[in-house]
């Protein structure tokens, strides 16, 4: 029972930690531009936005360490450079993009506020989570993910019953390659090595599992998250 509860909570948390602006915006955009070639674009997209991140989580299930430990398998010097590059990318591209998506979708159409105020509030909340990382698993897994899933299902249901369906010519010269490149733009492939470390730290803080139990837990998480991602694709 304890392991089942841990699996559900951490799997939901894993879904929320991966689900960012790229996952929300890119699939509909790709579907619109893919036209009749939507299947090839989807396969390419899932390779870099679903399959590679799952491999990252699987690797963490074997390692069960920090991001530095992840890169140290090559060499300590490489790991330092690796960590610096990963965090520079995370700070300069995905994080601002998520804040921008929040402002453009939720705030700008409804409130007369500049993006500066949105960003201040947004990153203040991020700081709260960072300072309370041991509670991320419970809050995100128990409360945030169910809310996100309900909202996503509502948006999908409304779209299915209120939109006219038609396919047009594809805007991609190479649909499969285009899907691969756009899937990488979600940054889930890079994020998996960071998210895996966060999950390991949170599991260590919340649950008293053996190395083998944590490895099994993360492997099952990977399968569950893979299924959920495919469901919402």
């Amino acid at each position: 029972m304890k392991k089942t509860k841990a699996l559900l909570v951490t799997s939901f948390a894993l879904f929320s930690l991966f689900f960012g602006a790229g996952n929300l915006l890119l699939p509909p955009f790709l579907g619109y531009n893919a036209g009749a070639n939507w299947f090839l674009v989807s396969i390419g997209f899932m390779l870099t936005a679903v399959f590679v991140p799952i491999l990252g989580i699987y690797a963490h299930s074997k390692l069960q360490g920090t991001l530095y430990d992840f890169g140290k398998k090559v060499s300590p010097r490489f790991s330092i450079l690796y960590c610096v590059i990963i965090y520079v990318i995370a700070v300069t591209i995905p994080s601002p993009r998520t804040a921008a998506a929040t402002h453009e979708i939720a705030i700008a159409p409804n409130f007369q506020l500049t993006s500066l105020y949105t960003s201040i509030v947004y990153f203040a909340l991020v700081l709260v989570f960072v300072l309370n990382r041991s509670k991320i698993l419970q809050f995100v897994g128990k409360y945030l993910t169910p809310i996100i899933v309900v909202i996503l299902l509502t948006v999908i249901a409304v779209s299915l019953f209120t939109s006219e369906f038609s396919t047009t010519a594809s805007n991609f010269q190479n649909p499969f390659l285009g899907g691969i490149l756009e899937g990488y733009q979600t940054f889930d492939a890079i994020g998996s090595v960071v998210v895996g470390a966060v999950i390991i730290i949170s599991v260590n803080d919340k649950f008293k599992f053996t190395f083998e139990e944590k490895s099994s837990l993360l492997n099952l998480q990977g399968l569950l998250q893979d299924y959920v991602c495919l469901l919402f694709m």
Side-chain angles (χ1 to χ4, degrees), residues 3-211:
K3 189 173 181 179
T4 301
K5 178 183 178 181
L7 173 64
L8 291 175
V9 172
T10 53
S11 296
F12 284 157
L14 188 64
F15 176 79
S16 289
L17 290 172
F18 270 113
F19 191 81
N23 304 97
L24 178 66
L25 302 176
L26 286 177
F29 176 76
L30 285 177
Y32 178 80
N33 287 304
N37 292 325
W38 63 270
F39 183 75
L40 287 176
V41 174
S42 298
I43 294 298
F45 183 84
M46 285 188 289
L47 283 177
T48 47
V50 179
F51 181 69
V52 174
I54 293 301
L55 288 181
I57 297 300
Y58 181 77
H60 267 294
S61 74
K62 300 297 184 181
L63 176 68
Q64 298 190 22
T66 63
L67 181 60
Y68 177 75
D69 295 326
F70 198 89
K72 197 169 63 174
K73 287 293 183 179
V74 178
S75 75
R77 289 184 178 180
F78 170 84
S79 185
I80 292 175
L81 179 62
Y82 178 72
C83 292
V84 170
I85 292 174
I86 291 294
Y87 283 122
V88 167
I89 292 175
V91 169
T92 57
I93 302 178
S95 297
R97 182 176 68 182
T98 305
T102 301
H103 177 77
E104 293 297 328
I105 295 175
I107 305 301
N110 302 299
F111 304 98
Q112 298 298 320
L113 296 174
T114 66
S115 58
L116 177 62
Y117 293 116
T118 304
S119 298
I120 290 174
V121 174
Y122 178 86
F123 287 110
L125 292 174
V126 171
L127 180 61
V128 170
F129 279 107
V130 170
L131 296 177
N132 296 275
R133 65 182 185 181
S134 63
K135 299 178 181 179
I136 288 179
L137 212 61
Q138 290 295 314
F139 179 79
V140 175
K142 277 188 174 181
Y143 306 110
L144 185 59
T145 301
I147 293 173
I148 292 176
V149 171
V150 169
I151 292 174
L152 283 174
L153 290 175
T154 302
V155 170
I156 293 171
V158 170
S159 299
L160 286 174
F161 292 106
T162 61
S163 301
E164 295 183 3
F165 296 96
S166 61
T167 57
T168 58
S170 176
N171 292 330
F172 291 99
Q173 293 183 350
N174 190 325
F176 182 69
L177 179 60
I180 289 177
L181 294 177
E182 293 298 332
Y184 182 76
Q185 293 300 322
T186 64
F187 291 99
D188 286 344
I190 294 177
S192 64
V193 296
V194 179
V195 170
V198 172
I199 291 295
I200 285 294
I201 292 172
S202 298
V203 169
N204 287 336
D205 287 342
K206 184 64 180 177
F207 303 103
K208 302 301 181 183
F209 288 145
T210 64
F211 184 95

